[in-house]
Amino acid sequence: MTKMNHQTRLPIREGRDSLTPRPLTVRRSVNPHAPGSAHLTMGRTEILATVSVEDKAAPHMRGLKEGWLTAEYAMLPRATTDRQARERSLQNGRRHEIQRLLGRAMRASMDLRPFRNQTLYIDCDVLVADGGTRVASILAAHAALHDLCDRMVRAGKLSEWPLLHNVGAISVGFVGDELRVDLDYAEDKVARADLNVVATSTGLLIETQGGAEAGPMTTEEFTRLMTTGVAAVQALMVDLGRQLAVPPGV
Amino acid sequence: MTKMNHQTRLPIREGRDSLTPRPLTVRRSVNPHAPGSAHLTMGRTEILATVSVEDKAAPHMRGLKEGWLTAEYAMLPRATTDRQARERSLQNGRRHEIQRLLGRAMRASMDLRPFRNQTLYIDCDVLVADGGTRVASILAAHAALHDLCDRMVRAGKLSEWPLLHNVGAISVGFVGDELRVDLDYAEDKVARADLNVVATSTGLLIETQGGAEAGPMTTEEFTRLMTTGVAAVQALMVDLGRQLAVPPGV
Amino acid sequence: MTKMNHQTRLPIREGRDSLTPRPLTVRRSVNPHAPGSAHLTMGRTEILATVSVEDKAAPHMRGLKEGWLTAEYAMLPRATTDRQARERSLQNGRRHEIQRLLGRAMRASMDLRPFRNQTLYIDCDVLVADGGTRVASILAAHAALHDLCDRMVRAGKLSEWPLLHNVGAISVGFVGDELRVDLDYAEDKVARADLNVVATSTGLLIETQGGAEAGPMTTEEFTRLMTTGVAAVQALMVDLGRQLAVPPGV
Amino acid sequence: MTKMNHQTRLPIREGRDSLTPRPLTVRRSVNPHAPGSAHLTMGRTEILATVSVEDKAAPHMRGLKEGWLTAEYAMLPRATTDRQARERSLQNGRRHEIQRLLGRAMRASMDLRPFRNQTLYIDCDVLVADGGTRVASILAAHAALHDLCDRMVRAGKLSEWPLLHNVGAISVGFVGDELRVDLDYAEDKVARADLNVVATSTGLLIETQGGAEAGPMTTEEFTRLMTTGVAAVQALMVDLGRQLAVPPGV
Amino acid sequence: MTKMNHQTRLPIREGRDSLTPRPLTVRRSVNPHAPGSAHLTMGRTEILATVSVEDKAAPHMRGLKEGWLTAEYAMLPRATTDRQARERSLQNGRRHEIQRLLGRAMRASMDLRPFRNQTLYIDCDVLVADGGTRVASILAAHAALHDLCDRMVRAGKLSEWPLLHNVGAISVGFVGDELRVDLDYAEDKVARADLNVVATSTGLLIETQGGAEAGPMTTEEFTRLMTTGVAAVQALMVDLGRQLAVPPGV
Amino acid sequence: MTKMNHQTRLPIREGRDSLTPRPLTVRRSVNPHAPGSAHLTMGRTEILATVSVEDKAAPHMRGLKEGWLTAEYAMLPRATTDRQARERSLQNGRRHEIQRLLGRAMRASMDLRPFRNQTLYIDCDVLVADGGTRVASILAAHAALHDLCDRMVRAGKLSEWPLLHNVGAISVGFVGDELRVDLDYAEDKVARADLNVVATSTGLLIETQGGAEAGPMTTEEFTRLMTTGVAAVQALMVDLGRQLAVPPGV
């Protein structure tokens, strides 16, 4: 499906340049039971995120003055090009790695003092995967948290806005010698280096994950990837913020 | 959310009478990786179904002249009013009961000789649950199978139409003394008897499941539930068929 | 072992006509530790059922005015013609489907108000399987519950008889064009339609399970199966009741 | 139920002296599907044993000139005075310890060369437990193996008798200062030392298991337990052999 | 690596005679977090043992006047000549058999009244296995318990010495006709009979485990193995005691 | 144990400045069964690493011209200040995250073409944990791989040196405003930002993991952490290389 450059044997981007992410669309309040939710597409990648608030402190937070937030990430069996057995997908290491990143990113974004003795669960389920599911999950999780906070504030259940930072993420990598932003699956498979950058809308860094399994890079190359990623996240958050500003049901 | 009749303490239906199911919408070919798929809503209940074709015979079908079809059913953690732990939902007995029903219903609908040495997996994932998820899953599974067959026939991969029957399902029950079709969650909780009827568009019966945990009923009452259910499935299949007739991408 | 009709390639019944179930024998109070138990044979099928009463409310019944009853069904590894691995038999879907049916049938038979803050566990273990293990398990479970109630009433621990209905079950199916009652394994494998009917000794219906995987049937055929099944259960319950009337130790 | 001596607070034996085991009864060929089986009672303890022969070499025996024999031991949930959860009983350490002993004992008794490229599975399921289930399982397993061999020899499938030794087992212990043979549950709980002796009908020793958790004993005491156990097994095997000599169906 | 006698095809011992165990070295207080620990080598076999004291009564000891002690035994994946998968090693039956022996041996050695409402966990992890890991684990567990008691007494947390017996263990077996003490892996594989003897430094017996899978032995042979084992344990405990007498950090 | 600065409530380093890692010691060839192994201490943290070579291609490498390398990481139950249950430690997400990092780092260091149709397993087991176990595991894994390669080259089993890069790792973080290298457990708990840097002895970067859960940082701060980490790894690798240069057995 993806066109390839016959000389370099690298995938060609059509309709976007190397620094432009795929189109992003988000709908909020998509789940009638959850207090916060979002459906997000980024190219063909499609994520459903919900936030649940449980009135029970996490074991290690009992007696403390703030709540806890944890995240789960899973793929539907046919999110991928081949079907994956349901039981196996729950035990796999990649899933654990991603949901730990997701949890850290979202905890970094939020003041959890208003949720004392409560636990927030964010569930990101991948309906369709085409590369970048971990960064799309962070964006969807942010959208679902934003939906939760907005509805709680409107309903008078929160007196202050608890999101300290608008946190998003993007993947950046070298495909051949070209630095590209937001790799799809075909690009990701051939990238020489691949970094996931989690950052704020104000250009601060939360975390990076990944690097150069195919061979090391210089610290300069790494810094270039990282700063390009941070700038791309800033641009993405403007787009996302505009879409989230519309109240649900409008 | 559901209005209740204060005298009988039973839920009131608004906008539909006791024999009318909730509005049904279906979109096909919603998953770019799967050869057949459908997204179905029935009131607030929302199902995503995919079909996968694996080139490997099921162990008990090796050497036989036809393929096998199996089905899986699962709920996302926040499909329900309270969040359910992911690991538990995979082991629970209700899930096994439903996916066995789903598999039998779909095998009854299809000629599997063209799929010799192959196994078809149907995955029904409940995105939102508001009662009737097992019958909605049967409808979504039929839609996904229909999508598969239609695309294979158009692509010349199948010479004959393998769906022997258009199989659908509906729930019927007594809420108080009233026979109601397609119970939502609030109705299901108070129903005196509750039957899932799996039938064909031509008015033949495939299977019934359920009955009267709250107290037995007469064989006449049961027959009335069953025949009402068969008629309701026939009507539903006209609606569903009309929506499926539109080719994907239109 | 089973004789076959060479023309129709269908199993021949010897010593019983098509509407007669296999001989049923039951012994009660067979387990010295359990407050209720029964050993039941139905042809070659052999079930051991025990009832246990735990002084702990099920989580969803806490604070309510009645107890809960749950059931488990399992096969010994060599209950079947081939040995089955022990661990697998616990996770299989068929087992879950059966034990849910068993639990619903027994809850429908009983007033659980005298067991407030308690949980009744019925364990049905298949020692030998030759078809009809799910209906034989319902009969054995009824016998074990009957044993429990009789001993509790005699011991003055219950002031009223809590069994509201004598609940039994039978399988009915079409073998070729012949409607047969209580299919053994050889018949079950070739039946065109196969229905498990759970009913009371007074001819009321609790639940039906199953139908027509091999091809749909008319609603008239279904009704005929169902009403024949209900009548067969009534006859069986007379036989079972006579055997259970003898006090244990006589 | 067990009477206690008020002075010593130790259980009193009624109807048997300290060196006499409980009455033993065995029935063979009790399972119509298994090629060898036995039902054994020893006092109130009750075991069902089956032998299955699988036409597949165990992984570590591939290419070797003899087959393999393995054993499984499990309790039904209500074999004991309190009900035990089914899943837990499969993972518990006591079960593993017993089934390893059972496998070693039975392998020591048998020439497995006629079973090349095959695996024998012995399943011992405890229907009722009242002490001594591990030794009763060894006796039941021997009876089931004997049934297998006898039926195979009669059917001409084996040309030579493959049982090299008639292997049985008994428990012996000190209850107070008294050496007792075949402890029931009440005795086992208060015994100062408790030894399971696996031996042959000719007075040779296969294995001992157990000893003195409540405090050490002298080597003389241990030797006395062991030799008394060996003599008791010899006597038991005469009784068991007489019961097994009757062909099945007589 | 092990030299073989070409005539008998049995391993030759170099540097030790048939009654001499392999050299034993022990270091105590090797884990900075655990209140008791030991690292033990016996030939090439290498064990790390720790004791943990949890301030929580075991379920079956609640309300009683003494604590509980339990033990776990596991091998690192590459402790053996071939790597073993980590998950499998936790479920295997041999492990359960060994850790039950370990727990019984250590409970027999200790007065647990000073540990009321507490649970002691002994973890024996095999870093390298070359035969005799179960007896080496008992020796290492004793050393770790000794370290715990010594440090608690010195710190004034215990007023009396709670070790009632110095408990050790050794394997003994017949290699050909020769009775050998402390078999290594090469010897263990060819031994005709193999017994693990758990005993005290004063020559009393705690437990024996094992025997004669390869063919039965006489009671005289068994007694010879057992008494030789007890004597060997007495000698070992002198050596071990001398090494443990040195306070940690010296 | 760790001294604290009373004013800042931050841990004080004794005997090393903020840029100096804890003392590192490594011994190679410590496991007699494994073809490569190492025991490494870094302060109180203690790791045992082994390499196993299995003659079986990983499923996704079948038919390709190079082998595969995978890594496992686990803690002994009492590696930490409190004991952790063995089964839980295998399923936890942190473990999965670390072993994926470990695998990527080691694959990046090595030419796997000489290991075609083989799979290398690196097992890193934490004997004692005091912070930095993931970077210590990378160092220990490198040492074990180095041991494997050196022994294979000396034995003539490899004609060329397959380690493309000497890969090591270090943690860096801000404790208060101070950038510190190689945080121990007490420092790690209070660090404002914490980064694990995987790099080569030549100053190239493989991967970074982690960041700023406690609040975002600037890209300049991140770059400072990263470049300081790379320099620290270079220094560490000189020390490690010197220790590894000594052949085993010397």
Side-chain angles (χ1 to χ4, degrees):
Chain A
M1 224 157 287
T2 304
K3 296 220 175 136
M4 302 294 280
N5 179 325
H6 288 294
Q7 283 188 298
T8 62
R9 294 173 165 260
L10 295 174
I12 300 173
R13 291 194 156 186
E14 289 188 279
R16 61 173 173 137
D17 64 32
S18 60
L19 296 181
T20 303
R22 292 170 291 179
L24 184 81
T25 66
V26 68
R27 279 183 301 130
R28 54 184 278 205
S29 293
V30 294
N31 179 311
H33 303 308
S37 61
H39 176 275
L40 181 141
T41 61
M42 197 167 179
R44 301 203 304 177
T45 289
E46 190 175 348
I47 312 286
L48 186 57
T50 59
V51 191
S52 300
V53 182
E54 199 181 274
D55 284 330
K56 197 177 160 185
H60 63 294
M61 299 305 280
R62 278 184 205 134
L64 300 189
K65 296 199 171 160
E66 50 185 334
W68 185 246
L69 180 156
T70 188
E72 295 197 5
Y73 166 98
M75 287 208 183
L76 292 194
R78 193 57 199 257
T80 42
T81 48
D82 294 308
R83 184 180 185 271
Q84 313 239 359
R86 218 169 266 274
E87 288 73 15
R88 265 168 80 185
S89 76
L90 283 195
Q91 285 171 307
N92 93 22
R94 181 179 170 276
R95 178 188 170 229
H96 284 289
E97 186 180 72
I98 294 175
Q99 64 193 11
R100 283 173 61 85
L101 174 67
L102 200 45
R104 286 191 300 261
M106 291 301 112
R107 283 192 297 274
S109 77
M110 201 158 173
D111 180 1
L112 287 163
R113 284 174 304 178
F115 297 92
R116 190 176 170 182
N117 289 324
Q118 295 183 309
T119 304
L120 275 65
Y121 289 90
I122 301 185
D123 287 287
C124 288
D125 285 89
V126 181
L127 307 187
V128 179
D130 183 28
T133 60
R134 86 182 68 189
V135 300
S137 292
I138 288 174
L139 293 164
H142 169 69
L145 267 183
H146 191 281
D147 184 44
L148 172 84
C149 296
D150 186 47
R151 288 158 69 183
M152 287 182 78
V153 167
R154 283 171 197 269
K157 292 180 189 162
L158 276 180
S159 53
E160 275 181 72
W161 185 247
L163 282 177
L164 306 171
H165 305 282
N166 292 320
V167 168
I170 199 71
S171 72
V172 280
F174 290 110
V175 176
D177 291 332
E178 192 176 63
L179 195 165
R180 291 194 187 175
V181 164
D182 188 25
L183 311 185
D184 68 18
Y185 183 67
E187 293 173 316
D188 186 67
K189 270 200 334 200
V190 299
R192 176 166 67 84
D194 177 17
L195 192 70
N196 295 289
V197 176
V198 185
T200 69
S201 58
T202 56
L204 294 172
L205 196 70
I206 303 287
E207 178 161 348
T208 65
Q209 192 182 61
E213 191 174 330
M217 64 183 134
T218 62
T219 56
E220 291 73 23
E221 285 176 311
F222 186 89
T223 301
R224 211 180 128 215
L225 283 177
M226 187 261 288
T227 53
T228 306
V230 170
V233 170
Q234 284 190 272
L236 264 182
M237 296 315 281
V238 172
D239 183 2
L240 193 66
R242 209 176 285 137
Q243 296 188 45
L244 290 174
V246 184
V250 173
Chain B
M1 224 156 284
T2 304
K3 295 219 175 138
M4 302 296 278
N5 179 325
H6 288 296
Q7 282 187 298
T8 60
R9 293 171 165 261
L10 295 174
I12 299 173
R13 291 193 157 187
E14 288 188 279
R16 62 172 173 138
D17 65 32
S18 61
L19 296 182
T20 303
R22 292 170 291 179
L24 184 82
T25 66
V26 68
R27 280 182 303 130
R28 53 184 279 205
S29 293
V30 294
N31 179 312
H33 302 309
S37 61
H39 176 274
L40 182 141
T41 61
M42 196 167 179
R44 302 204 303 177
T45 289
E46 190 175 348
I47 313 285
L48 187 56
T50 59
V51 191
S52 299
V53 182
E54 197 181 277
D55 286 330
K56 195 177 162 186
H60 63 293
M61 300 305 279
R62 278 182 205 137
L64 300 190
K65 296 197 171 161
E66 50 186 335
W68 184 246
L69 181 158
T70 188
E72 295 197 4
Y73 166 99
M75 287 206 183
L76 292 193
R78 193 56 201 256
T80 43
T81 47
D82 293 310
R83 186 182 184 271
Q84 314 239 359
R86 219 169 265 273
E87 288 74 17
R88 265 169 81 185
S89 77
L90 282 195
Q91 285 171 307
N92 93 22
R94 181 179 169 277
R95 180 190 168 227
H96 284 288
E97 186 181 73
I98 294 176
Q99 63 193 12
R100 282 173 61 84
L101 174 67
L102 201 45
R104 287 192 299 262
M106 291 301 112
R107 283 192 296 274
S109 77
M110 201 158 172
D111 180 2
L112 287 164
R113 283 173 305 177
F115 297 93
R116 192 177 169 181
N117 288 325
Q118 294 183 311
T119 304
L120 276 66
Y121 289 90
I122 301 184
D123 287 287
C124 288
D125 285 89
V126 181
L127 306 187
V128 179
D130 184 28
T133 60
R134 84 183 70 188
V135 300
S137 292
I138 288 175
L139 293 163
H142 169 69
L145 267 184
H146 192 281
D147 184 44
L148 172 82
C149 296
D150 187 47
R151 288 159 68 184
M152 287 183 78
V153 167
R154 283 171 197 270
K157 291 181 189 162
L158 274 180
S159 53
E160 276 181 73
W161 185 246
L163 281 178
L164 306 171
H165 305 282
N166 291 322
V167 169
I170 199 72
S171 72
V172 280
F174 290 110
V175 176
D177 291 332
E178 193 176 60
L179 195 164
R180 291 192 186 175
V181 164
D182 188 24
L183 312 184
D184 67 17
Y185 183 67
E187 293 173 317
D188 187 65
K189 270 200 333 202
V190 299
R192 175 166 67 84
D194 177 17
L195 193 70
N196 295 288
V197 176
V198 185
T200 70
S201 58
T202 56
L204 295 173
L205 196 71
I206 303 285
E207 178 160 347
T208 65
Q209 191 181 63
E213 191 173 330
M217 64 182 131
T218 62
T219 55
E220 289 73 25
E221 286 176 312
F222 186 89
T223 301
R224 212 179 126 214
L225 284 177
M226 185 261 286
T227 52
T228 306
V230 170
V233 170
Q234 284 189 272
L236 265 182
M237 295 314 281
V238 173
D239 183 3
L240 192 67
R242 208 176 286 138
Q243 296 187 46
L244 291 174
V246 184
V250 173
Chain C
M1 225 156 286
T2 303
K3 294 219 176 135
M4 302 294 280
N5 180 324
H6 288 295
Q7 283 188 298
T8 61
R9 294 171 165 261
L10 295 173
I12 300 174
R13 290 193 157 187
E14 288 188 280
R16 62 171 173 138
D17 64 31
S18 60
L19 295 180
T20 303
R22 292 170 291 179
L24 184 82
T25 66
V26 67
R27 279 183 302 130
R28 53 184 278 204
S29 294
V30 295
N31 179 310
H33 302 309
S37 61
H39 176 275
L40 182 141
T41 62
M42 198 168 179
R44 301 204 303 179
T45 290
E46 190 175 346
I47 313 285
L48 187 57
T50 58
V51 191
S52 299
V53 182
E54 198 180 276
D55 285 330
K56 196 177 162 187
H60 63 294
M61 300 304 280
R62 278 183 205 135
L64 300 190
K65 295 197 172 164
E66 49 186 335
W68 185 247
L69 180 156
T70 188
E72 296 197 4
Y73 166 98
M75 286 207 184
L76 292 194
R78 194 54 200 258
T80 43
T81 48
D82 293 309
R83 185 180 185 273
Q84 313 239 0
R86 218 171 266 274
E87 288 72 17
R88 266 167 80 183
S89 78
L90 283 195
Q91 285 171 306
N92 95 19
R94 182 180 169 275
R95 181 191 168 226
H96 284 289
E97 185 180 71
I98 294 176
Q99 64 193 11
R100 282 173 61 85
L101 173 68
L102 201 46
R104 288 193 299 261
M106 291 301 112
R107 284 193 294 276
S109 77
M110 202 159 171
D111 180 1
L112 287 164
R113 284 174 303 177
F115 297 92
R116 191 176 169 180
N117 289 326
Q118 294 184 309
T119 304
L120 276 65
Y121 289 90
I122 301 184
D123 288 287
C124 288
D125 285 89
V126 181
L127 306 187
V128 179
D130 184 28
T133 60
R134 86 181 68 188
V135 299
S137 292
I138 288 175
L139 293 164
H142 169 69
L145 267 183
H146 191 281
D147 185 44
L148 172 82
C149 296
D150 188 45
R151 288 160 67 182
M152 288 183 77
V153 167
R154 281 170 198 271
K157 290 179 190 164
L158 277 179
S159 53
E160 275 181 74
W161 185 246
L163 281 178
L164 305 170
H165 305 283
N166 290 321
V167 168
I170 199 72
S171 72
V172 281
F174 290 110
V175 176
D177 291 333
E178 193 176 62
L179 194 164
R180 291 193 187 176
V181 164
D182 188 24
L183 312 185
D184 67 18
Y185 183 67
E187 293 173 316
D188 187 67
K189 269 197 338 197
V190 298
R192 175 166 68 84
D194 177 18
L195 192 70
N196 295 288
V197 176
V198 185
T200 70
S201 58
T202 56
L204 294 171
L205 197 71
I206 303 286
E207 178 161 349
T208 65
Q209 191 182 62
E213 190 174 331
M217 63 183 134
T218 62
T219 56
E220 291 73 23
E221 285 176 312
F222 186 88
T223 300
R224 211 180 127 214
L225 282 178
M226 185 261 288
T227 53
T228 305
V230 170
V233 169
Q234 285 190 273
L236 264 182
M237 296 314 281
V238 173
D239 183 2
L240 193 67
R242 209 176 283 139
Q243 295 187 46
L244 291 175
V246 184
V250 173
Chain D
M1 226 156 283
T2 304
K3 294 219 176 138
M4 302 295 278
N5 180 322
H6 288 296
Q7 283 187 298
T8 61
R9 294 174 164 258
L10 295 173
I12 300 173
R13 292 194 156 188
E14 289 188 279
R16 62 171 175 140
D17 64 32
S18 60
L19 297 181
T20 304
R22 291 170 292 179
L24 184 83
T25 66
V26 68
R27 278 182 304 130
R28 52 184 279 203
S29 293
V30 295
N31 179 311
H33 302 309
S37 62
H39 176 275
L40 181 141
T41 62
M42 198 168 178
R44 302 204 302 179
T45 289
E46 190 176 347
I47 312 286
L48 188 56
T50 59
V51 191
S52 299
V53 182
E54 197 180 277
D55 285 331
K56 197 178 161 186
H60 63 294
M61 300 304 280
R62 278 181 205 138
L64 300 189
K65 295 198 172 160
E66 49 186 336
W68 185 247
L69 181 157
T70 187
E72 296 197 3
Y73 165 98
M75 286 207 183
L76 293 193
R78 194 54 200 258
T80 43
T81 48
D82 293 309
R83 185 180 185 272
Q84 313 238 359
R86 218 170 265 273
E87 288 73 17
R88 265 168 80 185
S89 78
L90 282 195
Q91 286 172 305
N92 95 19
R94 182 180 169 275
R95 181 191 168 227
H96 284 288
E97 185 180 73
I98 294 176
Q99 63 194 12
R100 283 173 60 84
L101 174 68
L102 201 46
R104 289 192 298 261
M106 291 300 113
R107 284 193 295 276
S109 78
M110 201 159 172
D111 180 2
L112 287 164
R113 284 174 304 177
F115 297 93
R116 192 177 167 181
N117 289 326
Q118 295 184 308
T119 304
L120 276 65
Y121 289 90
I122 301 185
D123 287 287
C124 288
D125 285 88
V126 181
L127 307 187
V128 180
D130 183 28
T133 61
R134 83 182 70 188
V135 300
S137 292
I138 289 174
L139 293 164
H142 169 69
L145 268 184
H146 192 280
D147 185 43
L148 171 82
C149 295
D150 187 46
R151 288 159 68 183
M152 287 183 78
V153 167
R154 281 171 198 271
K157 291 180 189 162
L158 276 180
S159 53
E160 276 182 73
W161 186 245
L163 282 178
L164 306 170
H165 305 284
N166 291 321
V167 168
I170 199 71
S171 72
V172 280
F174 290 110
V175 176
D177 291 332
E178 193 177 59
L179 193 164
R180 292 192 187 177
V181 164
D182 188 25
L183 312 185
D184 67 17
Y185 183 67
E187 293 173 317
D188 187 66
K189 270 198 335 199
V190 298
R192 175 166 67 84
D194 177 17
L195 193 69
N196 295 288
V197 176
V198 185
T200 70
S201 58
T202 56
L204 294 173
L205 197 71
I206 303 285
E207 178 160 348
T208 64
Q209 191 182 62
E213 191 173 331
M217 63 182 132
T218 62
T219 56
E220 290 74 25
E221 285 176 313
F222 186 87
T223 301
R224 211 179 127 215
L225 283 177
M226 185 260 287
T227 53
T228 306
V230 170
V233 170
Q234 284 190 273
L236 263 182
M237 295 314 280
V238 173
D239 183 3
L240 192 67
R242 210 176 283 138
Q243 296 188 46
L244 290 175
V246 185
V250 172
Chain E
M1 224 157 285
T2 304
K3 295 220 175 135
M4 303 295 278
N5 179 325
H6 288 296
Q7 282 188 296
T8 60
R9 293 171 164 261
L10 295 174
I12 299 173
R13 291 193 156 187
E14 288 188 279
R16 61 172 174 138
D17 65 32
S18 60
L19 296 181
T20 303
R22 293 171 290 180
L24 185 81
T25 66
V26 68
R27 280 183 302 131
R28 52 184 280 202
S29 294
V30 294
N31 179 311
H33 302 309
S37 62
H39 176 276
L40 182 141
T41 62
M42 196 168 180
R44 302 204 302 178
T45 290
E46 190 175 347
I47 313 285
L48 187 56
T50 58
V51 191
S52 299
V53 182
E54 197 181 276
D55 285 331
K56 196 177 162 186
H60 64 292
M61 300 305 280
R62 278 183 205 136
L64 300 190
K65 296 196 171 163
E66 50 186 335
W68 184 246
L69 180 157
T70 188
E72 295 197 5
Y73 166 98
M75 286 206 184
L76 292 193
R78 193 56 201 258
T80 43
T81 48
D82 293 309
R83 185 181 184 271
Q84 314 239 359
R86 220 169 263 275
E87 288 73 16
R88 264 167 83 183
S89 78
L90 283 195
Q91 286 172 305
N92 93 22
R94 181 179 170 276
R95 180 190 168 229
H96 284 288
E97 186 181 72
I98 294 175
Q99 65 192 11
R100 282 172 61 83
L101 174 69
L102 201 46
R104 287 192 299 263
M106 291 301 112
R107 285 192 295 275
S109 78
M110 201 159 172
D111 180 2
L112 287 164
R113 284 174 304 178
F115 297 92
R116 192 177 168 179
N117 289 325
Q118 294 183 310
T119 304
L120 276 65
Y121 289 89
I122 301 184
D123 288 287
C124 288
D125 285 88
V126 182
L127 306 187
V128 179
D130 184 28
T133 60
R134 86 183 66 189
V135 300
S137 292
I138 288 174
L139 292 164
H142 169 70
L145 267 184
H146 192 280
D147 184 44
L148 171 82
C149 295
D150 187 46
R151 288 159 68 183
M152 287 182 78
V153 167
R154 281 171 198 270
K157 292 180 188 163
L158 276 180
S159 53
E160 276 179 74
W161 185 247
L163 281 178
L164 306 171
H165 306 282
N166 292 320
V167 168
I170 199 72
S171 72
V172 279
F174 290 111
V175 176
D177 291 332
E178 193 176 63
L179 195 164
R180 290 192 186 175
V181 163
D182 188 25
L183 312 184
D184 67 17
Y185 182 66
E187 293 174 316
D188 186 66
K189 268 199 337 199
V190 299
R192 176 166 67 84
D194 178 17
L195 193 69
N196 294 289
V197 176
V198 185
T200 69
S201 59
T202 56
L204 294 172
L205 196 72
I206 303 286
E207 178 162 347
T208 65
Q209 191 183 63
E213 191 174 330
M217 63 183 133
T218 62
T219 55
E220 290 74 24
E221 286 176 312
F222 186 89
T223 300
R224 213 180 125 212
L225 283 177
M226 185 260 289
T227 53
T228 307
V230 170
V233 170
Q234 285 190 273
L236 265 181
M237 297 312 282
V238 173
D239 183 3
L240 193 65
R242 209 175 286 139
Q243 295 188 45
L244 291 174
V246 183
V250 173
Chain F
M1 224 156 286
T2 304
K3 294 220 175 136
M4 302 295 279
N5 180 324
H6 289 295
Q7 283 189 299
T8 61
R9 294 171 165 262
L10 296 174
I12 300 173
R13 292 194 157 189
E14 289 188 278
R16 60 172 175 138
D17 65 32
S18 61
L19 296 180
T20 304
R22 292 169 291 179
L24 184 81
T25 67
V26 68
R27 279 183 302 131
R28 53 184 279 204
S29 294
V30 294
N31 179 311
H33 303 309
S37 61
H39 176 274
L40 181 141
T41 61
M42 196 167 180
R44 301 203 305 176
T45 289
E46 188 175 348
I47 313 284
L48 186 57
T50 59
V51 191
S52 300
V53 182
E54 198 180 275
D55 285 330
K56 198 177 159 185
H60 62 294
M61 300 305 279
R62 279 184 204 134
L64 301 189
K65 296 197 171 160
E66 51 186 333
W68 185 246
L69 180 157
T70 188
E72 296 197 3
Y73 165 98
M75 287 207 183
L76 292 195
R78 193 56 200 258
T80 42
T81 48
D82 293 309
R83 186 182 183 270
Q84 313 238 359
R86 219 170 265 275
E87 288 73 16
R88 265 169 79 185
S89 76
L90 282 194
Q91 285 172 306
N92 96 18
R94 182 180 168 276
R95 182 192 167 226
H96 284 289
E97 186 180 72
I98 294 175
Q99 63 193 12
R100 283 173 61 84
L101 174 67
L102 200 46
R104 287 191 300 262
M106 291 301 112
R107 283 193 296 275
S109 77
M110 200 158 173
D111 180 1
L112 287 164
R113 283 174 303 176
F115 297 92
R116 191 176 170 181
N117 289 326
Q118 295 184 310
T119 304
L120 274 66
Y121 290 89
I122 300 184
D123 287 287
C124 287
D125 285 88
V126 181
L127 306 187
V128 179
D130 183 29
T133 61
R134 84 183 67 190
V135 300
S137 292
I138 288 174
L139 293 164
H142 169 69
L145 267 183
H146 192 282
D147 184 43
L148 172 83
C149 297
D150 187 47
R151 288 159 69 183
M152 287 182 78
V153 167
R154 283 172 197 268
K157 292 180 188 162
L158 277 179
S159 53
E160 275 181 73
W161 185 246
L163 281 177
L164 306 170
H165 305 282
N166 292 321
V167 168
I170 199 72
S171 71
V172 280
F174 289 110
V175 176
D177 291 332
E178 191 175 62
L179 195 164
R180 292 193 187 176
V181 164
D182 188 26
L183 312 185
D184 68 17
Y185 183 68
E187 292 173 318
D188 186 65
K189 270 197 337 197
V190 299
R192 175 166 68 82
D194 177 16
L195 193 69
N196 295 289
V197 176
V198 186
T200 70
S201 58
T202 56
L204 294 172
L205 196 71
I206 304 285
E207 177 161 349
T208 64
Q209 192 181 61
E213 190 173 332
M217 63 182 135
T218 62
T219 56
E220 290 74 22
E221 285 176 311
F222 186 88
T223 300
R224 211 180 129 216
L225 283 178
M226 186 259 289
T227 53
T228 306
V230 171
V233 170
Q234 285 190 272
L236 264 183
M237 296 314 281
V238 173
D239 183 1
L240 192 66
R242 208 177 286 139
Q243 296 187 47
L244 291 174
V246 184
V250 173

